[in-house]
DNA sequence: AGCATCAATGTAACCGATTACATTGTTTTT
DNA sequence: AAAAACAATGTAATCGGTTACATTGATGCT
């Protein structure tokens, strides 16, 4: 019933008549220990079911080989893909992940940050919640020289690296594409301007309008939480507009899909009446009819890059702050939801 | 550049001229310490920026307050929902999660199990990979009396609790529903019979046929990995069948959706030509047209239950092995993809 | 042979908490 | 007033590793 006693280096040392220092060195494959002794020790360790005690090491080394990850939510295709990327790198390098989701709430984010701080993570990977206003809850890490990397939903901080895509460019391309399809009254559905991704996408949208001499109109900007339901509600707003917009560019695919479904139900034809573009290349974008034009977004790679950069930092490989921003490539994927060029024939 | 020295209970003790024992006790709010002393200590701890060192405690207590979680993949709606449930409970109870994905591979699962074992998790929550054959890699936990709970993709083990739904019943209901809609040649797309969920769903399907005097036919069982692409490939197989089946019951929604898209492209009408049912109530089931009939599956709750049960175990609340299986309720959600009754009018 | 060099191993302090047991001073009991 | 009971605090061993420094014995060099 009670846990069997753990085997320690003391046990191994005693049995082999060597010192614990030798055992400790052998187990880390220190070249200073002779091959013969190492073999003896490895074999006995195996035989006795020895397992390494991280806590003793951590206590001594003041490191934990643990990385804290805070994301807005786990159950989004994009985020879980990023985490898969992080995990593969971290695992390879012998790091363990502590993952927490903020559920888009600043206070949960703060609580998670505190937990991770108290768990003495060696480094942090963070993507910010919707309603996080200031990032003071991350100062504790900076102060203790614990590296902090933001990805996707980033914050400007002189001591932190950011890994993200060029959201402005992505949005610019999507909007230009809609304009090239003959659209002039383009609604942009986006989320809180607290987050860079939405600010930048809006900026790209505006830039595209400006470059094509289309006046910017405030009323074409709808702000919500980008959920599928929010997309449906946005559809109701859009249906009130007169004249109706001829295109909708949503800041994520989920919201675009919710909106499309509602508009289709209202009898509008896509793309003939309203063209659509989203963002993320979420799997639903190829399920919805017509398939959704979107920006492909390298989630797995983003996770890999963020984790690699952090671990390099921890190993002192990076000249510190050599990189402050890592930009990944994104691409416009054109699908039927925005293709109006052949509609001439109608 | 170097990390500032950490404040320890020794520092607090020295400053206040008390012993470390008193500080230690005060910090855990031990009633044996006087209120006055406690206040002094709390205040100083706050002032000096003291933070608790888990590793020292873990080393001493031989516990880690850490729970290991292994799932097949993180980026599925269902799994990430389960994890959200686990996370909420664990967080509340002061436990930290170490999460790893097996990517449906037995060897990755084994490696993750080893990592977690070496990280001395207090307990494990596991959902098995597709190709895991035997679960010997979990014996190390059992041997050390580390509680192990399987959820969703479970294994029969006398020492482990399982948390899951009644897959057989769910599949039975879905199949009965299809039969009630007049379907007779029902294809079942499922995955490896190594996993209980697929075995049980198949059994439910067979039972439903038997109860309605429909002969079971091997060729109506298609086995793949249930991805969306696999669904599309299954569609090709189905189109070769003569006569065509009149219904398809897929063991998950993703696969059903892939199959539906391909069959629609081939000109079949759903549900008139072929009715469809899936499993999971994934968000795509309400995006695909027609919306997909499916089994709703309480992921969040499953996560909560599994975590609660594990933590109770750890706290010695449960009479050990009092429960060996926890079954959660699931329900059939009928949507347009299977509704053929009004199609009389056609 | 005598000394320096080096490879292999050992000794012991240290990391920061927990806690059984000991000690002190104060209050209650008889 | 002495003894018993108790509240508050202290002492010191312990958890299992890491590593600076010390020691030992063998080899190389002149």
């Amino acid at each position: 019933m009670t846990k069997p006693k753990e085997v320690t280096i003391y046990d191994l040392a005693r049995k082999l008549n060597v010192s614990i220092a030798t055992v400790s060195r052998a187990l880390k494959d220190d070249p200073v220990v002779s091959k013969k002794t190492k073999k003896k020790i490895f074999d006995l360790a195996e035989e006795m079911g020895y397992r390494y005690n991280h806590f003793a090491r951590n206590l001594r080394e003041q490191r934990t080989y643990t990385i804290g990850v805070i994301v807005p939510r786990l159950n989004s295709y994009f985020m879980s893909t990023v985490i898969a990327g992080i995990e593969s790198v971290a695992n390879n390098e012998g790091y363990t992940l502590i993952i927490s989701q903020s559920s888009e709430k600043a206070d949960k984010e703060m609580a998670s940050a505190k937990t991770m701080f108290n768990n003495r993570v060696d480094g942090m990977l963070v993507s910010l919640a919707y309603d996080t206003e200031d990032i003071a809850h991350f100062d504790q890490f900076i102060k203790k020289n614990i590296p902090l990397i933001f990805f996707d939903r980033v914050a400007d901080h002189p001591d932190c690296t950011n890994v993200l895509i060029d959201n402005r460019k992505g949005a610019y391309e999507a909007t230009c594409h809609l304009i090239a399809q003959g659209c002039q009254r383009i609604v942009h559905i986006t989320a809180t301007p607290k987050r860079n991704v939405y600010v930048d996408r809006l900026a790209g949208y505006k830039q595209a309008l400006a470059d094509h001499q289309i006046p910017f109109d405030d009323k074409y900007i709808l702000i919500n939480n980008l959920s599928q339901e929010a997309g449906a509600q946005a559809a109701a707003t859009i249906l009130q507009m007169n004249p109706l917009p001829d295109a909708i560019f949503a800041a994520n695919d989920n919201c675009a899909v919710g909106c499309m479904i509602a508009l289709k139900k209202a009898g509008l034809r896509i793309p003939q009446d309203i063209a659509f573009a989203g963002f993320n290349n979420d799997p639903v974008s190829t399920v919805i009819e017509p398939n959704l034009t979107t920006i492909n977004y390298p989630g797995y790679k983003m996770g890999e890059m963020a984790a690699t950069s952090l671990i390099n930092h921890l190993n002192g490989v990076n000249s510190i702050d050599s990189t402050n921003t890592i930009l990944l490539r994104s691409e416009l994927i054109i699908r039927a939801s925005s293709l109006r060029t052949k509609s001439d024939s109608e």
Side-chain angles (χ1 to χ4, degrees), chain A residues 1-16:
Chain A
M1 217 69 297
T2 57
K3 286 188 200 176
K5 217 50 188 147
E6 290 284 344
V7 179
T8 72
I9 55 171
Y10 293 89
D11 301 322
L12 301 179
R14 200 175 320 118
K15 275 229 171 162
L16 291 175

Side-chain angles (χ1 to χ4, degrees), chain A residues 108-161:
Chain A
K108 180 79 197 301
E109 186 176 284
M110 291 170 64
S112 294
K114 188 162 191 180
T115 301
M116 303 203 161
F117 185 71
N118 287 330
N119 272 287
R120 316 240 171 165
V121 295
D122 287 346
M124 290 287 294
L125 297 173
V126 177
S127 193
L128 293 167
Y130 273 147
D131 70 347
T132 297
E133 294 269 7
D134 71 314
I135 54 170
H137 46 299
F138 293 115
D139 287 350
Q140 48 191 338
F141 297 102
I142 311 285
K143 262 192 213 131
K144 283 235 190 300
N145 266 309
I146 298 168
L148 173 55
I149 292 185
F150 291 104
F151 60 93
D152 195 42
R153 307 243 204 109
V154 305
D156 245 332
H157 193 294
D159 299 320
C160 300
T161 297

Side-chain angles (χ1 to χ4, degrees), chain A residues 290-309:
Chain A
N291 283 189
L292 181 60
T293 290
T294 189
I295 305 288
N296 188 39
Y297 207 142
Y300 193 87
K301 185 151 195 185
M302 187 177 285
E304 286 182 319
M305 295 292 289
T308 303
S309 173

Side-chain angles (χ1 to χ4, degrees), chain A residues 51-124:
Chain A
R51 61 173 175 161
Y52 190 82
N53 189 323
H54 290 265
F55 302 102
R57 172 191 58 180
N58 293 346
L59 177 58
R60 175 65 214 225
E61 286 193 358
Q62 309 282 42
R63 287 184 68 177
T64 63
Y65 295 92
T66 296
I67 293 174
V69 182
I70 301 180
V71 296
R73 29 183 26 108
L74 285 166
N75 61 354
S76 95
Y77 176 78
F78 174 69
M79 273 304 164
S80 44
T81 306
V82 176
I83 288 179
I86 292 174
E87 211 240 347
S88 78
V89 172
N91 241 23
N92 255 352
E93 301 287 331
Y95 282 82
T96 297
L97 297 183
I98 297 184
I99 302 173
S100 180
Q101 56 182 341
S102 62
S103 306
E104 304 284 12
K105 298 285 177 45
D107 55 348
K108 180 79 197 301
E109 186 176 284
M110 291 170 64
S112 294
K114 188 162 191 180
T115 301
M116 303 203 161
F117 185 71
N118 287 330
N119 272 287
R120 316 240 171 165
V121 295
D122 287 346
M124 290 287 294

Side-chain angles (χ1 to χ4, degrees), chain A residues 45-337:
Chain A
E46 174 76 14
E47 184 195 325
M48 295 185 63
Y50 167 81
R51 61 173 175 161
Y52 190 82
N53 189 323
H54 290 265
F55 302 102
R57 172 191 58 180
N58 293 346
L59 177 58
R60 175 65 214 225
E61 286 193 358
Q62 309 282 42
R63 287 184 68 177
T64 63
Y65 295 92
T66 296
I67 293 174
V69 182
I70 301 180
V71 296
R73 29 183 26 108
L74 285 166
N75 61 354
S76 95
Y77 176 78
F78 174 69
M79 273 304 164
S80 44
T81 306
V82 176
I83 288 179
I86 292 174
E87 211 240 347
S88 78
V89 172
N91 241 23
N92 255 352
E93 301 287 331
Y95 282 82
T96 297
L97 297 183
I98 297 184
I99 302 173
S100 180
Q101 56 182 341
S102 62
S103 306
E104 304 284 12
K105 298 285 177 45
D107 55 348
K108 180 79 197 301
E109 186 176 284
M110 291 170 64
S112 294
K114 188 162 191 180
T115 301
M116 303 203 161
F117 185 71
N118 287 330
N119 272 287
R120 316 240 171 165
V121 295
D122 287 346
M124 290 287 294
L125 297 173
V126 177
S127 193
L128 293 167
Y130 273 147
D131 70 347
T132 297
E133 294 269 7
D134 71 314
I135 54 170
H137 46 299
F138 293 115
D139 287 350
Q140 48 191 338
F141 297 102
I142 311 285
K143 262 192 213 131
K144 283 235 190 300
N145 266 309
I146 298 168
L148 173 55
I149 292 185
F150 291 104
F151 60 93
D152 195 42
R153 307 243 204 109
V154 305
D156 245 332
H157 193 294
D159 299 320
C160 300
T161 297
N162 287 339
V163 181
L164 72 170
I165 60 163
D166 188 336
N167 285 288
R168 186 190 172 105
K169 176 159 157 278
Y172 180 82
E173 286 174 358
T175 310
C176 284
H177 164 68
L178 290 172
I179 295 171
Q181 298 296 309
C183 302
Q184 294 278 326
R185 300 181 304 280
I186 305 175
V187 164
H188 179 42
I189 309 180
T190 186
T192 171
K194 288 172 193 162
R195 293 283 73 79
N196 65 300
V197 290
Y198 307 117
V199 172
D200 292 351
R201 288 171 199 177
L202 178 58
Y205 161 86
K206 282 187 183 173
Q207 180 76 50
L209 294 188
D211 286 0
H212 293 83
Q213 287 83 40
I214 301 178
F216 170 74
D217 190 337
D218 240 357
K219 75 166 192 282
Y220 282 157
I221 305 300
L222 303 183
I223 293 185
N224 60 37
N225 70 3
L226 295 181
S227 68
Q228 201 170 315
E229 298 71 46
Q233 284 161 22
T237 309
I238 288 163
L239 286 168
Q240 303 290 325
M241 294 181 176
N242 187 356
L244 278 179
D246 52 15
I248 294 174
F249 168 41
N252 85 14
D253 289 346
N254 259 318
C255 180
V257 162
C259 190
M260 283 172 79
I261 291 173
L263 290 182
K264 278 164 68 179
K265 201 167 285 168
L268 293 186
R269 296 167 308 162
I270 298 170
Q272 297 90 332
D273 297 330
I274 294 197
F276 256 91
F279 214 108
N280 271 28
N281 197 22
D282 190 285
V284 288
S285 63
T286 59
V287 171
I288 186 77
E289 289 180 47
N291 283 189
L292 181 60
T293 290
T294 189
I295 305 288
N296 188 39
Y297 207 142
Y300 193 87
K301 185 151 195 185
M302 187 177 285
E304 286 182 319
M305 295 292 289
T308 303
S309 173
L310 182 67
I311 291 175
N312 282 346
H313 233 108
L314 292 174
N315 294 342
V317 170
N318 270 5
S319 53
I320 302 175
D321 305 277
S322 65
T323 26
N324 234 73
T325 300
I326 298 174
L327 273 191
L328 299 180
R329 206 177 303 283
S330 64
E331 57 177 334
L332 178 65
I333 297 184
I334 297 172
R335 300 206 184 96
S337 74

